[in-house]
Amino acid sequence: GENVEQHPSTLSVQEGDSAVIKCTYSDSASNYFPWYKQELGKRPQLIIDIRSNVGEKKDQRIAVTLNKTAKHFSLHITETQPEDSAVYFCAAKARAGGSEKLVFGKGTKLTVNP
Amino acid sequence: EAQVTQNPRYLITVTGKKLTVTCSQNMNHEYMSWYRQDPGLGLRQIYYSMNVEVTDKGDVPEGYKVSRKEKRNFPLILESPSPNQTSLYFCASSWGGTGADTQYFGPGTRLTVL
């Protein structure tokens, strides 16, 4: 089945710096890659996603890039702010028997230091 | 307001005492799922349902049961809880029947089994 590896597990940056989180996946048929943000004590919420027909997608300070050949995708956060501190999960759509499901990475704890 | 709700939010129980965690969504979503979140392990899927009366095992189904008698409700049942089921549980739903779309998470249920 699909395996999603996420790195790093923890990331600490200074406010204003950029942060990059990378995920690799194993199923070459995967074509949907969302990113979720989970603030402390809160539920995971979708922040951005990308489908395999595009290589990059931006939404203000966040962007996601996809390299289908290498089977990896990355989350880029520019001009980081303390409120970006959270756990970030990547996910990939995977085949599951006759159906599909999302497989999540183990998460990256991002700390933005003021 | 479109939302996924879970009850209870916090529960402390003892080994072997049957319990049910309820999950309800008001978005007419076809797909519903249960995850458990443990430190360093990310979000692991317990069970999912693609529609009424259609349920299937996720990655860690042992010790859990579910049912989907109505589209909006997807309760998680622990017939004989054990301490290794102490965890943070999230219910999620998505529009598509496969779950490979944006998933909306409930607020979480923190379960402690003594």
Side-chain angles (χ1 to χ4, degrees), chain A residues 4-26:
Chain A
V4 177
E5 300 274 347
Q6 183 171 347
H7 299 281
S9 56
T10 60
L11 179 59
S12 182
V13 300
Q14 290 298 123
E15 183 176 359
D17 288 350
S18 295
V20 181
I21 304 169
K22 182 176 176 178
C23 288
T24 59
Y25 60 97
S26 58

Side-chain angles (χ1 to χ4, degrees), chain A:
Chain A
E2 174 77 284
N3 184 41
V4 177
E5 300 274 347
Q6 183 171 347
H7 299 281
S9 56
T10 60
L11 179 59
S12 182
V13 300
Q14 290 298 123
E15 183 176 359
D17 288 350
S18 295
V20 181
I21 304 169
K22 182 176 176 178
C23 288
T24 59
Y25 60 97
S26 58
D27 186 351
S28 56
S30 292
N31 59 8
Y32 174 63
F33 309 92
W35 285 89
Y36 287 79
K37 175 183 180 182
Q38 185 181 25
E39 297 177 357
L40 189 63
K42 302 285 183 65
R43 72 192 78 188
Q45 290 190 296
L46 179 75
I47 54 171
I48 195 168
D49 57 15
I50 191 168
R51 298 188 186 270
S52 59
N53 56 343
V54 298
E56 183 176 7
K57 184 176 179 181
K58 288 183 179 179
D59 183 3
Q60 298 181 13
R61 294 185 299 105
I62 61 173
V64 57
T65 58
L66 172 65
N67 183 327
K68 285 215 74 180
T69 303
K71 290 192 281 189
H72 67 70
F73 57 109
S74 301
L75 178 71
H76 304 254
I77 306 174
T78 58
E79 300 172 20
T80 54
Q81 302 167 3
E83 51 265 40
D84 294 328
S85 295
V87 177
Y88 292 82
F89 292 98
C90 64
K93 185 169 75 170
R95 289 171 288 195
S99 184
E100 299 171 320
K101 66 174 185 178
L102 281 181
V103 177
F104 287 86
K106 289 183 167 47
T108 296
K109 183 178 180 181
L110 173 65
T111 303
V112 180
N113 302 299

